[in-house]
């Protein structure tokens, strides 16, 4: 959550008193009934501001609490990768990963995507021929040319169960062949 300090109840009361016109009819001493009234009202205003700040954290997908079900609905989750019985941490991670998903398949992006899901990974790309650049006597990258395919290996560096990551990658990258290895 952002580092924002909510004013004290006394500061709210004094700010409210400052809105009154000057004069003897509006005493500003803290021992007056008028100040006590504003002090009581200021307590309620402060509570509302605290709740508003809490809503920011509760509504942001990475820290969602009250609105987690709403975020799940936006992304048609849970799906086969997470269920209603999955931890809130996995649900939030999946929402953030889907929210930041751009369809990119670079190694850097895939590492970030895995990190959003809570996995630290090492990815190595293994490629075949590059269309238009590889020449060995014939035109490459034909439909029958299996050498033009690429594959990646994903090595999970933490002990987290790879099942969730594997399911998520199959859902968002069905076209990308990969091998998944886990040190755990």
């Amino acid at each position: 959550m952002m580092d924002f300090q909510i004013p004290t109840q006394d500061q709210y009361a004094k700010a409210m008193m400052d809105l009154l016109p000057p004069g003897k009819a509006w005493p500003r001493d803290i021992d007056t009934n008028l100040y006590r009234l504003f002090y009581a009202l200021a307590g309620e205003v402060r509570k509302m501001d605290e709740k508003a700040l809490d809503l920011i954290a509760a509504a942001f997908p990475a820290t969602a609490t009250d609105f987690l079900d709403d975020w799940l609905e936006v992304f048609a989750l849970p799906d086969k990768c997470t269920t209603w019985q999955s931890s809130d941490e996995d649900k939030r991670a999946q929402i953030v990963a889907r929210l930041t998903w751009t369809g990119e398949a670079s190694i850097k992006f895939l590492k970030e995507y895995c990190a959003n899901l809570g996995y630290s990974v090492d990815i190595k790309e293994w490629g075949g021929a590059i269309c238009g650049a590889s020449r060995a006597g014939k035109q490459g990258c034909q439909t029958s040319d299996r050498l033009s395919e690429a594959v990646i290996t994903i090595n999970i560096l933490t002990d987290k169960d790879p099942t969730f990551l594997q399911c998520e990658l199959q859902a968002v990258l069905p076209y990308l062949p990969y091998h998944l290895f886990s040190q755990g």
Side-chain angles (χ1 to χ4, degrees):
M1 184 157 88
M2 68 180 88
D3 191 24
F4 182 78
Q5 295 295 321
I6 298 176
T8 65
Q9 188 170 347
D10 190 50
Q11 289 171 323
Y12 274 107
K14 286 180 181 178
M16 293 166 73
M17 297 281 292
D18 287 343
L19 297 174
L20 295 173
K24 291 183 179 182
W26 308 107
R28 286 165 170 70
D29 297 330
I30 60 172
D31 59 346
T32 63
N33 286 336
L34 184 62
Y35 180 83
R36 288 184 191 110
L37 172 66
F38 277 105
Y39 187 81
L41 293 173
E44 295 305 309
V45 172
R46 188 174 195 281
K47 285 180 192 175
M48 288 189 311
D49 283 352
E50 286 175 340
K51 290 290 184 190
L53 283 177
D54 289 344
L55 279 176
I56 293 171
F60 186 68
T63 55
T65 53
D66 298 336
F67 300 106
L68 183 58
D69 290 342
D70 296 322
W71 279 109
L72 290 169
E73 187 177 333
V74 167
F75 288 96
L77 299 172
D79 59 4
K80 65 181 182 176
C81 300
T82 57
T83 65
W84 287 110
Q85 289 75 33
S86 296
S87 71
D88 285 351
E89 180 182 318
D90 280 346
K91 291 176 191 174
R92 281 191 288 270
Q94 190 180 30
I95 291 166
V96 170
R98 295 280 176 100
L99 187 62
T100 59
W101 178 253
T102 61
E104 190 176 340
S106 70
I107 298 300
K108 179 181 180 254
F109 178 79
L110 289 174
K111 282 183 178 181
E112 290 172 5
Y113 188 76
C114 293
N116 283 338
L117 291 170
Y119 292 87
S120 176
V121 298
D122 180 41
I123 300 177
K124 190 168 281 281
E125 184 175 20
W126 308 92
I130 299 173
C131 296
S134 299
R135 300 203 194 285
K138 68 173 190 155
Q139 179 67 31
C141 302
Q142 303 298 316
T143 55
S144 62
D145 187 5
R146 303 294 290 185
L147 293 175
S148 64
E149 295 179 1
V151 68
I152 63 171
T153 57
I154 302 173
N155 187 23
I156 300 174
L157 303 175
T158 57
D159 289 337
K160 190 170 178 180
D161 180 17
T163 309
F164 176 54
L165 177 62
Q166 184 173 11
C167 181
E168 187 67 14
L169 289 176
Q170 287 173 347
V172 297
L173 290 173
Y175 56 85
L176 183 67
Y178 64 90
H179 300 287
L180 188 64
F181 298 97
S182 175
Q183 291 182 349

